[in-house]
Amino acid sequence: MKRAEDKFRDQYQKKSDENAKVLSNFFRCLTMLEKTLERLARQRCNFNVKGITTDKWKSLTNALKSVFYKVWIGFCHLHFLKKLSKALASCPKETNRSWKVIW
């Protein structure tokens, strides 16, 4: 019985350590992104940014809106199509109708 508890505790600790590493890397990347955007905003650029394409990650979109407040922000077509296909796949389940009725 003791071995099973130790094994469970070890697996739980390992998963907890992995999650902590992922979160640490995530926040480090956010900090780097924030610093890069701040540096870019302070510099004088020889070009005008007309638009930015992103994957609709809310944190990035908000950061870009705060730095480039008058710029067009578009969303990546690949990510849009993936989300669209998921939405279409779940449509018959959510509406309790078959595709024949929908189309």
Side-chain angles (χ1 to χ4, degrees), residues 19-54:
N19 290 341
K21 286 179 185 177
V22 168
L23 281 175
S24 176
N25 287 337
F26 174 75
F27 287 118
R28 190 179 62 212
C29 289
L30 274 181
T31 303
M32 289 170 42
L33 174 64
E34 181 183 22
K35 288 179 182 179
T36 301
L37 288 174
E38 286 174 353
R39 252 187 279 128
L40 183 61
R42 285 193 307 264
Q43 292 176 353
R44 292 190 180 263
C45 299
N46 294 333
F47 57 89
N48 291 328
V49 177
K50 299 286 186 186
I52 299 170
T53 304
T54 179

Side-chain angles (χ1 to χ4, degrees), residues 52-57 60-61 64 73-77 79:
I52 299 170
T53 304
T54 179
D55 64 353
K56 206 171 181 180
W57 183 36
L60 176 60
T61 304
L64 291 169
I73 297 177
F75 300 116
C76 173
H77 291 126
H79 290 92

